[in-house]
Amino acid sequence: MNLTLMAAADLEWGIGAAGALPWHVPEDLKHFKARTMGKTVVMGRRTVDTLPSSLPGRRILTLTRHPRGSDETHLPGLLGHVAGTEDEVIVAGGGEVYSLLLPYCTRAEITRIKGVYPCDTHLVDLSKHGWTLIGSEPLSEISNIEQWTRA
Ligand SMILES: NC(=O)c1ccc[n+]([C@@H]2O[C@H](COP(=O)([O-])OP(=O)(O)OC[C@H]3O[C@@H](n4cnc5c(N)ncnc54)[C@H](OP(=O)(O)O)[C@@H]3O)[C@@H](O)[C@H]2O)c1
């Protein structure tokens, strides 16, 4: 399966607070846009509900237990879709969806926000779940992009 997890996380793996991102890092939003352009992006229904608008140039697949239209899917539907394509599919949150889909992901790209923010939603510490950090490069003054792979 060509499934990549993409997330922005603080130094304690915090990813969200009160349904939003706790930081504003324009460079990361730009990076996310460029990295996902032309791809299928999977998001949990709660994260999709927070989007101000659709994301042009990307197909958003909403993971929900109650799929209605063609852009909403349950887990078996999503796994069938990913198994049926060699194209990279991006898992873009939020917390529940990261936990659910992490076992199926082969790569993770983490924008590391260099601070600790008050968060109510976290990603697991990948280093404690069989993943290895293989690279890190600066994105902005307060963030790096980390590449992770399964150990
Ligand atoms: N830092 C980042 O990179 C990043 C990225 C994205 C989001 N976030 C943050 O994450 C937070 C939202 O995360 P969240 O955990 O509350 O919600 P979420 O993961 O975005 O969505 C949860 C929803 O996904 C669906 N779902 C969960 N498990 C499922 C399963 N087994 N089968 C089918 N559907 C399933 C359910 O939808 P239904 O209720 O419709 O069934 C559930 O309510 C926000 O604070 C957001 O800002 C951060």
Side-chain angles (χ1 to χ4, degrees), residues 57-72:
R58 279 122 326 155
R59 180 185 181 203
I60 304 299
L61 256 187
T62 303
L63 193 67
T64 171
R65 292 187 178 84
H66 311 286
R68 290 181 192 93
S70 60
D71 287 332
E72 298 191 352

Side-chain angles (χ1 to χ4, degrees), residues 56-143:
R58 279 122 326 155
R59 180 185 181 203
I60 304 299
L61 256 187
T62 303
L63 193 67
T64 171
R65 292 187 178 84
H66 311 286
R68 290 181 192 93
S70 60
D71 287 332
E72 298 191 352
T73 183
H74 45 45
L75 182 60
L78 172 66
L79 296 179
H81 172 82
V82 176
T85 178
E86 290 181 1
D87 294 343
E88 182 184 40
V89 174
I90 307 279
V91 176
E96 281 187 19
V97 165
Y98 287 141
S99 298
L100 185 68
L101 297 181
L102 184 63
Y104 303 100
C105 292
T106 49
R107 280 184 303 276
E109 198 169 295
I110 305 297
T111 299
R112 179 70 57 195
I113 310 294
K114 299 183 213 170
V116 177
Y117 292 74
C119 291
D120 57 25
T121 310
H122 291 74
L123 185 60
V124 296
D125 179 343
L126 294 183
S127 69
K128 295 180 178 161
H129 286 78
W131 290 74
T132 302
L133 178 64
I134 55 169
S136 177
E137 60 185 44
L139 177 66
S140 71
E141 267 187 29
I142 65 152
S143 63

